Amino acid sequence: MLGGSRGGTAKSAAAARLRAVRRLGGLGALAGVLVALMLLPPVCAAGMGARDAARWFQEEPDDLDVSGVPQRSRILAADGSLIATFFTQNRIDVRLDQIAPVARRAVLAIEDSRFYEHGALDSQGTLRALASNLSSGEVTQGGSGITQQYVKNLLITQAENAEERRAAQEITAARKIRELRYAVALEKRFSKDEILRRYLNIAYFGDGAYGIEAASRHYFGKPAARLELHEAALLAGVIRYPHAYDPTRRPAAARERRNVVLRRMAELGWVDDAAAEAAARRPLGLRVKRTPNGCVVSKAPFFCDYVQREILTNPVFGPTRKARERLLKRGGLTIHTTLDPQTQRAAQRAVDRHVPPTNSAGKAAAEALVEPGTGAIRGMAVDRDLGSDRERGKTWINFAADASHGSSIGMQAGSTFKVFTLAAALEDGMPFGTRLMAPRSFVPTGYRDCKGRRVGDTKPLRNAADGEGGREFSLVTGTHHSVNTFFLALQRRVGLCDTVKMAEKLGMRQANGEPLEQYPSFTLGFNPVSPLRLAAAYAAFAARGRYCEPIAITKITDAQGRELKVPPARCEQVIDEGVADAVNHVLRGVLTRGTARGMGIGRPAAGKTGTVDGFSAAWFAGYTPDLAAAVWVGDPRGGYKHPMTDLCMNGRCYGAVYGATIPAPIWRDTMVGALAGRPASSFVRPPARFFSRGSGELDRAPDVRGMRLGAALARLRETGFRARLGSAVASDVYPPGTVASMSTGPDGTVILRVSRGGDGPRRDSWPFRDPESPRDVADDGAGRAGTSP
């Protein structure tokens, strides 16, 4: 009696559970039976009552997450052009109205023709599939509708590991219950149109294409909105078994499957028979277009890699590297950057032209370009392809960037660091005419670092290979000649710490992220740095003392169009405008009469060469008011082991490579291309206080007194000086028509005054014009004397 009572109770509970299931979503009698068959065993095992089962099933699951579907991210240049894409699944989420109606009908016809008529479970479709499968002895039709298929795809897509992916695909009652429960919840939460949209965006269409938009672009080179009937039917047919019907690998099977879809559409009356037959006769019409993934195939691979590393290493984009990588490769980001395509093309052409990627000497070149006043990285080029260095002409190391953004430990900067000593001296109030003795050798004693400790060496340091020394130089001529012992003496005078602090104010640090090391040879550039850091420092001079931390990313939006936080452009006025103007004034002469003479670009520009000890590397850093760049050329295998002497590259040989030999021409060619078609800006004249002892440029001007004017002009032109005629002067020493007096104007121009003899003015001895109306004499670029206003 007791046992019978328990049996009766169990039967009543089972009947109640069955009635509860039948009420779910208006599924109908057959749906109730099918669901009950799945539900009864686990429910009974759990001892769950009928009402509890019904309530549990109808409640929205706590763990139902419809977000996080992977979408591809894009990196865009400043003009909106594509630099690269990143994805784990190549997918582009689109609205339903961006999918051709014929494509929607094709998918519904073959996957769930009653989708808009049933709830979460299609009882008729399930029964039909069951009957078909039983009669054939194998699974030929699926019983899941669009909503359940969407749920299954969603769970697979959201799986974080192999175990979760197996659980999302295992053939068990528990999984089907979970999917159906989610489907019921989704049918309550979303409209049918929204569920269909989500399904079409998540489905896999084979050959690496996820979602109908990516699939349409991949197979046909067009957006899903423009799909035609035969194309739509092909894509619809792929969904059920993407690998079996992949048109790129199994075109015959794909075509047969496409025609099945067309027949089904005709059976439903969704297309007429003639249209279906015409579409079935058409070829597949594939125009496969592969979507590049990552930076390797980018036109700006090292800039792309820099942006990627910025996202992967900066906590602003996520608390862990895994979270940041997930954001980049799954988040559907649109990443707007600072890259200027014109500048990038010019830089890449220049480095490849002068240091070919597979050059016979194994040398490398890198260049970074920064916009003054903003810190925007406008270009970044390495004369290599991005890839394993096991292949000639490739490297994973971004020689243009720091270790954090390119794995490079940096390269010794050479004489490009002298500019920081020059700036420190000018900031201390030294005028251009300040003169110091530059001995032929220099014992670096008497220095203290920023902690007050004595640092030095008893080993004498000598001048670079130019062999200069043994005489005095001014701030101007010492810089133009890049005299090592002059700058060692100048650094001792202004203080090692002041020089270091100047470099640090301008953003300099070692490429490994560590602070700059402080020793007497600091001014000679022994610290290993990156071209990007150096370009940003020089950009600050161009911006009249305003330093900006280099930035590559200006804006990021996610898949929903929400703007994400990005690191701001941190800019600060770090040195006085007048001091920066004075530095610019001195460095302009490097291009006209200094170590980089002849490297002008046809507009106001300034720069500094750098040749590293032992010719282990060479640099040039230069700028206009609108763009700054730093170029490095060296050997990735080690500069001291493989110096740039007796060097031949692709048929061109060099005795020794200085900063002006290869780096400066790379800079010149880059700047000419990058600034083509853009208006030229001018530098600002330095304050008068810096000319208190003259311009400092007459130190090395040849003495042309007593020479005929034409010969004097030629001599000055040979040594890189501009000349201007002043008024004629009476002279009993120099014959009429010869140069009787020389002086230097505030802008560094040599002022020549011609003798008119000792008896007063004689117009017949004046070869040009009224002596009271002087004119400037300049080099017109072709080696001839010309006039300038």
Side-chain angles (χ1 to χ4, degrees):
M1 185 72 177
L2 184 61
S5 175
R6 282 200 300 267
T9 302
K11 289 180 181 179
S12 299
R17 285 192 292 270
L18 184 55
R19 288 193 299 272
V21 169
R22 285 174 175 164
R23 291 195 296 270
L24 296 179
L27 298 178
L30 179 57
V33 172
L34 294 173
V35 176
L37 290 174
M38 293 187 293
L39 280 179
L40 287 176
V43 168
C44 290
M48 184 182 293
R51 291 185 179 179
D52 291 339
R55 187 181 304 112
W56 170 82
F57 200 84
Q58 294 185 70
E59 288 175 351
E60 183 164 315
D62 293 334
D63 59 346
L64 177 58
D65 179 12
V66 295
S67 63
V69 177
Q71 296 188 53
R72 72 187 191 192
S73 295
R74 300 179 302 152
I75 299 179
L76 306 180
D79 66 352
S81 59
L82 182 66
I83 296 174
T85 53
F86 289 87
F87 53 83
T88 55
Q89 294 181 355
N90 180 23
R91 176 182 286 105
I92 306 170
D93 199 81
V94 292
R95 302 186 310 271
L96 194 62
D97 63 6
Q98 293 175 294
I99 302 170
V102 69
R104 295 179 239 160
R105 289 196 298 269
V107 171
L108 289 173
I110 199 65
E111 291 297 321
D112 190 354
S113 61
R114 299 183 61 256
F115 171 67
Y116 283 94
E117 300 169 22
H118 62 71
L121 178 66
D122 180 10
S123 56
Q124 293 182 22
T126 302
L127 183 60
R128 183 178 63 249
L130 179 61
S132 175
N133 295 340
L134 288 174
S135 64
S136 65
E138 59 180 346
V139 178
T140 59
Q141 292 188 26
S144 300
I146 291 289
T147 308
Q148 287 175 269
Q149 289 185 52
Y150 168 62
V151 169
K152 180 180 179 180
N153 278 302
L154 183 65
L155 296 176
I156 293 172
T157 298
Q158 292 177 343
E160 294 287 346
N161 51 54
E163 183 179 350
E164 291 183 5
R165 280 189 291 274
R166 281 194 302 270
Q169 300 178 77
E170 62 183 353
I171 304 175
T172 64
R175 178 179 70 81
K176 295 300 295 183
I177 293 169
R178 183 187 183 200
E179 285 183 7
L180 185 55
R181 185 178 181 222
Y182 284 174
V184 170
L186 289 175
E187 291 270 352
K188 294 178 180 179
R189 184 188 296 188
F190 300 121
S191 68
K192 286 287 190 177
D193 279 354
E194 177 61 14
I195 293 172
L196 177 60
R197 184 196 74 81
R198 288 170 175 266
Y199 173 69
L200 291 173
N201 278 303
I202 201 172
Y204 181 51
F205 288 83
D207 205 31
Y210 291 82
I212 196 166
E213 179 71 12
S216 181
R217 296 188 186 192
H218 175 71
Y219 290 119
F220 304 115
K222 63 170 66 173
R226 291 168 45 203
L227 285 169
E228 299 177 44
L229 174 59
H230 69 290
E231 297 165 335
L234 178 70
L235 295 184
V238 170
I239 294 176
R240 180 65 63 176
Y241 300 112
H243 301 290
Y245 300 128
D246 183 341
T248 64
R249 294 176 175 83
R250 297 177 175 85
R255 180 168 185 158
E256 183 179 346
R257 176 65 173 172
R258 178 197 69 179
N259 294 346
V260 169
V261 175
L262 291 169
R263 285 195 296 272
R264 177 61 178 159
M265 293 178 75
E267 288 174 7
L268 293 168
W270 293 358
V271 296
D272 59 52
D273 292 341
E277 289 174 5
R281 289 193 297 269
R282 296 191 63 167
L284 295 182
L286 298 181
R287 293 183 295 276
V288 176
K289 183 179 181 181
R290 308 252 171 225
T291 300
N293 189 4
C295 296
V296 170
V297 292
S298 172
K299 292 182 179 179
F302 291 93
F303 178 82
C304 171
D305 186 61
Y306 183 94
V307 172
Q308 177 183 207
R309 291 172 187 256
E310 172 68 14
I311 292 174
L312 295 180
T313 60
N314 197 323
V316 74
F317 298 113
T320 65
R321 184 181 179 87
K322 182 178 180 180
R324 296 188 287 268
E325 185 170 8
R326 181 183 177 88
L327 176 67
L328 174 63
K329 296 184 177 181
R330 296 168 62 96
L333 305 180
T334 300
I335 304 164
H336 300 266
T337 73
T338 58
L339 187 81
D340 173 55
Q342 178 178 334
T343 299
Q344 178 64 28
R345 286 192 297 269
Q348 196 65 60
R349 283 197 298 263
V351 297
D352 288 347
R353 181 186 306 122
H354 291 278
V355 187
T358 56
N359 67 81
S360 55
K363 305 307 178 191
E367 182 174 22
L369 298 106
V370 175
E371 184 176 76
T374 68
I377 303 170
R378 294 305 188 190
M380 184 177 287
V382 176
D383 74 321
R384 294 284 192 274
D385 291 330
L386 187 64
S388 173
D389 57 10
R390 294 178 182 176
E391 296 183 57
R392 189 180 176 198
K394 293 186 177 183
T395 181
W396 288 118
I397 299 174
N398 185 352
F399 297 115
D402 288 351
S404 61
H405 287 76
S407 301
S408 173
I409 59 173
M411 294 74 69
Q412 289 185 329
S415 294
T416 59
F417 255 47
K418 290 174 181 173
V419 71
F420 304 123
T421 308
L422 171 66
L426 293 168
E427 189 173 63
D428 276 358
M430 295 185 192
F432 295 137
T434 301
R435 301 169 66 85
L436 292 175
M437 182 66 183
R440 295 189 181 279
S441 65
F442 188 96
V443 179
T445 58
Y447 295 88
R448 291 183 182 272
D449 64 17
C450 290
K451 292 185 178 180
R453 298 173 300 194
R454 290 185 179 275
V455 291
D457 197 340
T458 57
K459 181 181 178 181
L461 299 175
R462 300 183 181 277
N463 284 301
D466 56 27
E468 294 202 55
R471 64 187 182 93
E472 286 188 340
F473 291 88
S474 69
L475 292 186
V476 174
T477 57
T479 302
H480 291 175
H481 283 232
S482 194
V483 183
N484 283 356
T485 56
F486 172 83
F487 273 93
L488 287 166
L490 182 62
Q491 180 180 247
R492 183 163 60 187
R493 180 163 172 178
V494 301
L496 171 60
C497 184
D498 284 352
T499 297
V500 172
K501 286 182 176 179
M502 176 60 69
E504 290 176 342
K505 285 194 296 187
L506 293 165
M508 295 308 303
R509 61 171 180 257
Q510 294 187 71
N512 62 8
E514 295 295 320
L516 298 168
E517 294 189 356
Q518 302 177 28
Y519 294 101
S521 53
F522 181 91
T523 191
L524 306 183
F526 74 87
N527 275 285
V529 300
S530 69
L532 179 60
R533 284 277 158 199
L534 195 63
Y538 274 68
F541 295 123
R544 306 190 69 202
R546 181 176 172 82
Y547 172 75
C548 296
E549 188 77 13
I551 60 167
I553 300 172
T554 57
K555 178 182 176 183
I556 298 179
T557 55
D558 65 13
Q560 287 72 46
R562 295 187 298 259
E563 194 166 332
L564 305 184
K565 182 181 179 181
V566 299
R570 293 186 293 271
C571 297
E572 183 181 358
Q573 190 74 32
V574 295
I575 57 177
D576 180 75
E577 288 183 350
V579 171
D581 296 336
V583 171
N584 299 336
H585 172 80
V586 175
L587 294 192
R588 289 186 68 182
V590 173
L591 295 171
T592 58
R593 63 197 64 149
T595 53
R597 180 184 171 206
M599 290 295 141
I601 58 174
R603 63 176 69 205
K608 181 71 186 75
T609 54
T611 306
V612 183
D613 185 41
F615 297 100
S616 59
W619 290 75
F620 187 81
Y623 55 95
T624 72
D626 305 302
L627 189 63
V631 180
W632 164 85
V633 177
D635 199 306
R637 298 167 296 179
Y640 288 105
K641 187 177 180 181
H642 302 278
M644 292 196 295
T645 54
D646 299 322
L647 169 65
C648 292
M649 283 194 300
N650 294 61
R652 183 172 182 178
C653 296
Y654 307 86
V657 176
Y658 295 86
T661 309
I662 299 177
I666 290 175
W667 174 86
R668 177 196 59 204
D669 292 354
T670 298
M671 297 294 278
V672 168
L675 297 172
R678 303 179 183 182
S681 301
S682 299
F683 292 106
V684 177
R685 176 182 169 81
R689 67 179 184 273
F690 291 109
F691 295 97
S692 61
R693 297 185 188 176
S695 70
E697 297 185 14
L698 196 58
D699 297 67
R700 69 181 180 93
D703 188 348
V704 295
R705 288 174 297 178
M707 298 176 64
R708 300 295 298 181
L709 183 61
L713 291 172
R715 177 74 178 111
L716 290 170
R717 191 163 54 243
E718 287 172 2
T719 52
F721 283 87
R722 292 171 59 88
R724 177 166 64 85
L725 291 180
S727 57
V729 294
S731 174
D732 294 323
V733 177
Y734 297 103
T738 64
V739 176
S741 170
M742 294 175 62
S743 61
T744 306
D747 61 353
T749 301
V750 178
I751 301 171
L752 301 181
R753 290 179 170 82
V754 176
S755 169
R756 61 172 183 258
D759 299 325
R762 299 190 313 186
R763 287 188 180 274
D764 60 345
S765 70
W766 184 251
F768 295 116
R769 59 188 295 186
D770 188 339
E772 296 302 318
S773 178
R775 71 180 188 174
D776 295 340
V777 180
D779 192 331
D780 66 1
R784 300 182 297 272
T787 61
S788 60

